Amino acid sequence: MSKKSRFNMSAEVRALLKANNNISGPEVYEALCQKTTGQKINKNSCGVAFANARKKMGLTRKSKKKIGSDNNSRRGAKSTATATDTISLSALRCARELLVRTNGDVSVAAAVLREVKALQDS
């Protein structure tokens, strides 16, 4: 049967965090090793106690923005709005009808649109 020790790792970790809440996990492990020379401390158990103590005390690290979380940034493409994003379906149908009435001649259709614009501005 093992001998029960009076060492409480969680309490020691909490005390270190209360003294300095910016301390890191490896620093806590080193401080505990120096403080308790006769006690053997498992590094992984110390890390778990450190994480649990930080969680219970409400201490959280600042989250870093993930680089490349956007699909466009991974591909290197810039996100640009296309003409179809801003033009309604009814406007496209009207443009198609205009091209049908001008027998597909884009220059005539553009001239008609300029005349309509001039009428609208006056």
Side-chain angles (χ1 to χ4, degrees), residues 15 38 42 47-48 53 62-63 68 71 73 75-77 79 82 84-85 93 98 108 110-111 120:
N42 186 327
V48 171
K62 292 179 184 177
S63 63
N71 283 338
S73 65
R75 294 184 193 137
S79 62
T82 60
T84 57
D85 290 342
R93 287 183 180 146
L98 177 62
V108 173
Q120 181 185 8

Side-chain angles (χ1 to χ4, degrees), residues 37-119:
T37 55
Q39 183 72 34
K40 184 175 180 182
I41 298 174
N42 186 327
K43 192 171 188 174
N44 292 334
S45 297
C46 181
V48 171
F50 173 73
N52 289 337
R54 284 187 59 84
K55 187 189 292 185
K56 285 182 182 179
M57 293 175 73
L59 301 174
T60 58
R61 300 269 184 205
K62 292 179 184 177
S63 63
K64 294 180 182 178
K65 182 181 177 187
K66 290 184 179 179
I67 297 174
S69 62
D70 184 22
N71 283 338
N72 290 335
S73 65
R74 270 190 270 149
R75 294 184 193 137
K78 295 179 181 175
S79 62
T80 57
T82 60
T84 57
D85 290 342
T86 58
I87 298 175
S88 67
L89 186 58
S90 63
L92 290 173
R93 287 183 180 146
C94 291
R96 182 187 66 191
E97 183 64 27
L98 177 62
L99 284 173
V100 168
R101 294 197 184 250
T102 58
N103 294 325
D105 191 354
V106 176
S107 60
V108 173
V112 168
L113 289 174
R114 280 192 294 276
E115 292 296 322
V116 170
K117 177 70 173 159
L119 288 172

